[in-house]
Amino acid sequence: MADFQFVSPRNRLTGEMPKIGIRPAIDGRLGGVRESLEEQTMTLARAVAELLSSNLRHANGLPVECVIADRCIGGVSEAAQAADKFAREGVGVSLTVTPCWCYGAETMDMDPHLPKAVWGFNGTERPGAVYLAAVMAAHAQKGLPAFSIYGRDVQDAGDATIPVDVRDKLLQFAKAGLAAATMRGKSYLSVGGMSMGILGSLVDHSLFESYLGMRVEVVDMSEVSRRIENGIFDPAEFTRALAWVKEYCPEGEDYNPADKRRTRSQKDEDWSVSVKMALIMRDLMVGNSRLAELGYGEEALGRNAIAGGFQGQRQWTDYLPNGDFMEAILNTSFDWTGIREPYMVATENDALNAISMLFGNLLTGSAQIFADVRTYWSPEAVARVTGHSLSGEAEAGFLHLINSGPASLDGTGQQQLGGEPAMKPYWQVTPEEARRCLEATSWHAGMTEYFRGGGWSTRYRTQGGMPVTMFRLNLVKGLGPVLQIAEGTTISLPDSVHDTLDQRTNPTWPTTWFVPRLTGEGAFRDVYSVMAHWGANHGAISYGHIGSELITLASILRIPVYMHNVADQQLFRPHAWHAFGTADREGADFRACATYGPLYGSW
């Protein structure tokens, strides 16, 4: 499997990866109190740093680094020293730990942009819980939301173990905080403009700037055609990539009517252009030093884009090959370069779904599925069309998730965890799993009624039995960005049923059959209600039930969540959210986000 060598983790974007700053806070009273707590407090900090660094990786596969303050923080001067060190070291997430009482307002982290949490040790010898409560009140009064972490069970003084409930909250906060910090200072690359009246592709610069700390880079689609026509890509890589595609991307049936089919020479040229588009989109996003060697120094720099989108339809696809291959292969965890970090690229330049995919990728490290939320199939409709009676997880119906291009090949479900189908972080994907994903995928000539300029679209069927989360960021005038989340499971249908239903839409596109987990009320009363409440035509699908992690990340960014099926006991938001109401958690989220406003400034 020489074509599937693992690509060592690297940061392909400008800037260092954000680190987690650990702040050991202490009672500052010398003369016996502080001296008795120094070692215990610093030991707690080291234990937390070890937990986080040994369990977390960035989405690019690099290990997460922790920075511990040089000394315990007993007052303002030491807090300033820690802040100075964190600034030098590139800390993007702040975590305070203490087993004792401390002077809250004097020891707290005052940086308004750092996601922050405090773990107050649950022990009886010293009042760590009292400090935690006092400093949470200080954070609330000063408008600096922070997460409160407090273990359920009392521990003995000097016990350096981290209880499971504390561990889970530390990891959840750290993952969400790092996701927020990673986006800051990066770019969204908008190639083209609005596609076919889809407002999600009307890229709102202030959304990225105010909520994500990102900038938007806009490039006309003519730049892609210029680079194709002028050969502004690595010709050696192009030759290697095209050969790889011919070996591993088998062509399937051409479903176009005979009089609408493109000739063999046109199809071969479509492959050539499609591969060049993939190379060029990648180079536009992250740059390519090889271009400088070829005399294209400006083009070699890229746009420092952590995510991007390609308009395509219709100004491009009416006369040139579609972007389906480009989007699918870039979103996948492997290509001709080996097994590597996926790129987040949205079809139709749907920036809101690109943000959603980015959220999922940063939290899981895995590739994402981009799909239309296309059809709700009721049990009655399935029986009428196929004669099949649904049962098991599908007995209440299901959703058909399908779109032409950007669903990663990881979405086939041909990777495994514990013997079950999965979509894994790229650094866990094996060469054999990459091969199986390719074998489960066929490539079909684009339907010329949609894509007059030809191109190639993926077709596969996602394996059933995968726990997944479908989610979407929407933008509402007068309200701002809002997130919706639906945890559920992929299902498999009998071949005859799948074929009958799949052929009713476009058979050249990848299909995921999805059943959301129902609660019996509201938007999750039944499967139909989930479809009826969905806010747009697209959704992002991530492996695993990550709804609670998405909610934590959204609260850091001050984005309210208006639809989810996550249990209340799994919700983890800043402590101040309780002050906005405990009976109506969803309403409290909206009120808190409106009060605090976007993390990075005005909207």
Side-chain angles (χ1 to χ4, degrees), residues 1 3-4 240-250 438-439:
M1 301 293 290
D3 293 307
F4 295 98
R240 186 169 71 254
L242 190 60
W244 184 90
V245 166
K246 289 179 179 178
E247 181 174 359
Y248 294 110
C249 300
L438 287 161
E439 290 176 347

Side-chain angles (χ1 to χ4, degrees), residues 55-76:
N55 283 276
L56 297 178
R57 288 200 193 196
H58 295 286
N60 60 17
L62 291 172
V64 168
E65 296 182 58
C66 293
V67 177
I68 302 176
D70 291 333
R71 55 187 293 171
C72 292
I73 301 169
V76 173

